[in-house]
Amino acid sequence: GKGNHRHFMLKEMHEHPEAVSNTLRSYLDPTTRAVTPPDLPFDWKDVPRLTITACGTAFYAALIAKYWFEQLARLPVEADIGSEFRYREAPMPAGGVCIAVSQSGETADTLAALRYAKTQGQTILSVVNVPESAMARESSVVMPTLAGPEIAVASTKALTAQLVVLATLAIAAARARGTLSREREAELVAALVEVPSRIAEVLNNDDAIAAVAHRIADARDVLYLGRGVCYPIALEGALKLKELSYIHAEGYPAGEMKHGPIALITEEVPVVVVAPTDSLADKIASNLEQVHARGGKPVLLSDAAGVARLGAKAFAALTMPAVDPFVAPILYAVPVQLLAYHAAVAKGTDVDQPRNLAKSVVVE
Ligand code: M6R
């Protein structure tokens, strides 16, 4: 049941900390604080390319993982949407690895993409929340997420759990490839271990998130901007807002704004800026200033340092806990989901069962 919660989606967002800690527990040794990936039938040193395929929110996990594997393990990565990948006839190198990411493990397009990768001789890994699913059965290695059942059509805690699996796998790949110092690895693991408590802080700030949501709920269009590893969080925020509240929303890599979407900026359009303090903070700060200078309404999601710097130019601001930039996308997934949830509740839409959508898309 929903417990004390008004919707399954709200209950499931309150389970983010547990989903993350349960998943962490199975991919990290708590005493040595080392990642403990499953045994793999290949050596990361020999892998010429990793392909990650998924749909919807799971695709955003794939896109975030691309940044992690490239940066930490110096491994070329292709992240592609199942429905595109399955028909693209992409050449795949001998010795390559393909990861399918899916809550249900049954999504037709992701399964077809997995099968295509198999015909190309790739080793198949799957990151699924349902261990007896079709994708799990057709993979060489299954890496379960321990998010627990997800009932609401909107995928929430499955995303943070997928990110935990992919983050620990990226660290393992980096270690095997000799591209990560012991010191940095220890920092990354420490940052992961902290995530459940940081998410709990975000959930405790829900009243502030709801207040921001009420300020965007009347908009016709909302833009979401992010950069680097948080760009996919902009995509997640926009998808969730669309599917739950039916407000038109677009997620963009912030640097791309000047190539078109900036034409949409008016005082009617809230622009949610996902801006943790990281190596791209100056870049995203200037993107926010451009929105402000054109009379737009920036909604800033940042830590105390970011809010101190940019809050005065924002239409609304939400202060997030400060975290290592490595785990920022895991943490910032939570407020963008909550924003969409509260906007939908304010509009009175059917949050758990939005129109036209199914939980598992098992047909093409
Ligand atoms: O079961 P899967 O993770 O493969 O599902 C993928 C998408 O259908 C799913 O994430 C969808 O986009 C959600 N409605 C997003 O909230």
Tab-separated table of all heavy atoms in Angstrom, residues 6 13 17 37 41 55 77 85 101 113 125 130 146 155 206 211 231 235 260 294 300 333 339 360:
chain	number	residue	atom	x	y	z
A	6	ARG	N	0.148	10.085	0.169
A	6	ARG	CA	-1.006	10.340	-0.674
A	6	ARG	C	-0.922	9.587	-2.001
A	6	ARG	O	-1.934	9.247	-2.590
A	6	ARG	CB	-1.032	11.864	-0.907
A	6	ARG	CG	-2.208	12.365	-1.650
A	6	ARG	CD	-2.275	13.879	-1.459
A	6	ARG	NE	-3.216	14.435	-2.407
A	6	ARG	CZ	-3.309	15.731	-2.666
A	6	ARG	NH1	-2.506	16.597	-2.047
A	6	ARG	NH2	-4.187	16.169	-3.529
A	13	MET	N	9.402	8.039	-3.612
A	13	MET	CA	10.480	9.032	-3.490
A	13	MET	C	11.030	9.044	-2.057
A	13	MET	O	12.225	9.254	-1.860
A	13	MET	CB	9.993	10.413	-3.918
A	13	MET	CG	9.801	10.485	-5.438
A	13	MET	SD	9.422	12.138	-6.031
A	13	MET	CE	7.793	12.377	-5.326
A	17	PRO	N	16.366	6.965	-0.056
A	17	PRO	CA	17.543	6.656	0.774
A	17	PRO	C	17.737	5.149	0.964
A	17	PRO	O	18.861	4.642	0.888
A	17	PRO	CB	17.226	7.339	2.118
A	17	PRO	CG	16.280	8.447	1.766
A	17	PRO	CD	15.434	7.903	0.633
A	37	PRO	N	32.185	-5.234	-7.422
A	37	PRO	CA	31.367	-5.587	-8.586
A	37	PRO	C	31.288	-7.104	-8.719
A	37	PRO	O	32.111	-7.818	-8.142
A	37	PRO	CB	32.144	-4.981	-9.751
A	37	PRO	CG	33.559	-4.950	-9.281
A	37	PRO	CD	33.511	-4.739	-7.797
A	41	PRO	N	33.066	-11.637	-17.091
A	41	PRO	CA	33.770	-12.542	-18.014
A	41	PRO	C	34.710	-11.796	-18.971
A	41	PRO	O	34.928	-12.250	-20.090
A	41	PRO	CB	32.615	-13.218	-18.773
A	41	PRO	CG	31.522	-12.206	-18.760
A	41	PRO	CD	31.673	-11.414	-17.495
A	55	CYS	N	15.647	3.221	-22.116
A	55	CYS	CA	14.588	4.140	-22.539
A	55	CYS	C	14.172	5.019	-21.356
A	55	CYS	O	14.278	4.606	-20.203
A	55	CYS	CB	13.344	3.375	-22.987
A	55	CYS	SG	13.618	2.278	-24.392
A	77	VAL	N	32.492	5.529	-24.529
A	77	VAL	CA	31.139	5.055	-24.211
A	77	VAL	C	30.141	5.636	-25.195
A	77	VAL	O	30.176	6.823	-25.529
A	77	VAL	CB	30.709	5.490	-22.783
A	77	VAL	CG1	29.293	4.978	-22.481
A	77	VAL	CG2	31.688	4.994	-21.736
A	85	PHE	N	18.716	2.666	-31.118
A	85	PHE	CA	19.857	1.756	-31.243
A	85	PHE	C	19.487	0.472	-31.970
A	85	PHE	O	20.244	-0.037	-32.796
A	85	PHE	CB	20.432	1.465	-29.856
A	85	PHE	CG	21.760	0.801	-29.949
A	85	PHE	CD1	22.864	1.523	-30.377
A	85	PHE	CD2	21.913	-0.543	-29.674
A	85	PHE	CE1	24.090	0.922	-30.517
A	85	PHE	CE2	23.137	-1.156	-29.810
A	85	PHE	CZ	24.226	-0.426	-30.230
A	101	VAL	N	19.912	-0.960	-19.279
A	101	VAL	CA	19.450	-0.441	-17.983
A	101	VAL	C	17.933	-0.348	-18.031
A	101	VAL	O	17.376	0.273	-18.945
A	101	VAL	CB	20.044	0.955	-17.691
A	101	VAL	CG1	19.646	1.425	-16.286
A	101	VAL	CG2	21.558	0.953	-17.847
A	113	ALA	N	17.375	-3.851	-28.333
A	113	ALA	CA	18.730	-3.274	-28.432
A	113	ALA	C	19.751	-4.255	-27.850
A	113	ALA	O	20.829	-4.477	-28.422
A	113	ALA	CB	18.779	-1.932	-27.713
A	125	LEU	N	25.599	-7.037	-20.127
A	125	LEU	CA	25.330	-6.843	-18.704
A	125	LEU	C	23.956	-6.195	-18.609
A	125	LEU	O	23.590	-5.392	-19.477
A	125	LEU	CB	26.342	-5.869	-18.091
A	125	LEU	CG	27.679	-6.399	-17.544
A	125	LEU	CD1	28.428	-7.193	-18.588
A	125	LEU	CD2	28.526	-5.245	-17.050
A	130	VAL	N	14.087	-5.979	-11.670
A	130	VAL	CA	13.328	-7.233	-11.581
A	130	VAL	C	14.265	-8.357	-12.043
A	130	VAL	O	14.499	-8.538	-13.240
A	130	VAL	CB	12.057	-7.173	-12.468
A	130	VAL	CG1	11.259	-8.473	-12.335
A	130	VAL	CG2	11.176	-5.976	-12.075
A	146	LEU	N	18.476	-2.742	-6.008
A	146	LEU	CA	17.671	-3.196	-4.872
A	146	LEU	C	16.750	-2.068	-4.432
A	146	LEU	O	16.736	-1.667	-3.271
A	146	LEU	CB	18.593	-3.686	-3.761
A	146	LEU	CG	19.408	-4.905	-4.220
A	146	LEU	CD1	20.622	-5.144	-3.351
A	146	LEU	CD2	18.544	-6.149	-4.288
A	155	SER	N	9.109	6.688	-12.889
A	155	SER	CA	10.227	5.972	-12.278
A	155	SER	C	10.996	6.930	-11.368
A	155	SER	O	11.390	8.012	-11.798
A	155	SER	CB	11.137	5.429	-13.378
A	155	SER	OG	12.124	4.598	-12.812
A	206	ASP	N	11.109	19.189	1.852
A	206	ASP	CA	10.042	19.061	0.862
A	206	ASP	C	9.097	20.264	0.813
A	206	ASP	O	8.581	20.610	-0.251
A	206	ASP	CB	9.259	17.773	1.131
A	206	ASP	CG	8.365	17.398	-0.038
A	206	ASP	OD1	8.774	17.658	-1.191
A	206	ASP	OD2	7.275	16.863	0.191
A	211	ALA	N	6.891	24.649	-2.392
A	211	ALA	CA	6.658	26.088	-2.597
A	211	ALA	C	7.214	26.520	-3.960
A	211	ALA	O	6.566	27.287	-4.689
A	211	ALA	CB	7.307	26.886	-1.459
A	231	TYR	N	23.620	17.409	-16.829
A	231	TYR	CA	22.740	17.662	-17.976
A	231	TYR	C	21.594	16.642	-18.029
A	231	TYR	O	20.424	17.015	-18.213
A	231	TYR	CB	23.581	17.721	-19.267
A	231	TYR	CG	22.866	17.315	-20.517
A	231	TYR	CD1	21.644	17.886	-20.863
A	231	TYR	CD2	23.409	16.359	-21.372
A	231	TYR	CE1	20.975	17.487	-22.026
A	231	TYR	CE2	22.753	15.966	-22.522
A	231	TYR	CZ	21.539	16.528	-22.835
A	231	TYR	OH	20.885	16.138	-23.968
A	235	LEU	N	17.174	16.708	-18.250
A	235	LEU	CA	16.268	15.886	-19.068
A	235	LEU	C	15.251	15.171	-18.176
A	235	LEU	O	14.058	15.091	-18.502
A	235	LEU	CB	17.062	14.862	-19.879
A	235	LEU	CG	18.077	15.431	-20.877
A	235	LEU	CD1	18.859	14.304	-21.542
A	235	LEU	CD2	17.383	16.283	-21.934
A	260	GLY	N	19.581	28.349	-29.910
A	260	GLY	CA	18.161	28.244	-30.259
A	260	GLY	C	17.196	28.497	-29.125
A	260	GLY	O	16.425	29.446	-29.174
A	294	ARG	N	17.676	38.406	-19.859
A	294	ARG	CA	16.612	38.462	-20.868
A	294	ARG	C	15.229	38.442	-20.253
A	294	ARG	O	14.249	38.170	-20.935
A	294	ARG	CB	16.797	37.313	-21.858
A	294	ARG	CG	17.909	37.660	-22.834
A	294	ARG	CD	18.455	36.465	-23.556
A	294	ARG	NE	19.553	36.895	-24.408
A	294	ARG	CZ	20.787	37.125	-23.955
A	294	ARG	NH1	21.073	36.977	-22.675
A	294	ARG	NH2	21.731	37.538	-24.781
A	300	LEU	N	16.753	28.300	-9.392
A	300	LEU	CA	18.096	27.772	-9.141
A	300	LEU	C	18.061	26.592	-8.184
A	300	LEU	O	17.480	26.691	-7.103
A	300	LEU	CB	18.959	28.901	-8.547
A	300	LEU	CG	20.368	28.529	-8.075
A	300	LEU	CD1	21.238	28.077	-9.254
A	300	LEU	CD2	21.016	29.709	-7.348
A	333	ALA	N	18.625	14.318	-8.719
A	333	ALA	CA	17.462	13.631	-9.298
A	333	ALA	C	16.245	13.824	-8.391
A	333	ALA	O	15.106	13.894	-8.861
A	333	ALA	CB	17.763	12.136	-9.460
A	339	LEU	N	9.714	18.332	-7.624
A	339	LEU	CA	9.115	19.520	-8.265
A	339	LEU	C	7.969	19.098	-9.180
A	339	LEU	O	6.890	19.684	-9.159
A	339	LEU	CB	10.154	20.267	-9.104
A	339	LEU	CG	11.072	21.268	-8.419
A	339	LEU	CD1	12.038	21.859	-9.448
A	339	LEU	CD2	10.278	22.365	-7.723
A	360	SER	N	5.065	-0.462	-17.818
A	360	SER	CA	6.053	-1.185	-18.620
A	360	SER	C	5.629	-1.116	-20.078
A	360	SER	O	4.508	-1.493	-20.405
A	360	SER	CB	6.134	-2.653	-18.217
A	360	SER	OG	6.870	-2.762	-17.044
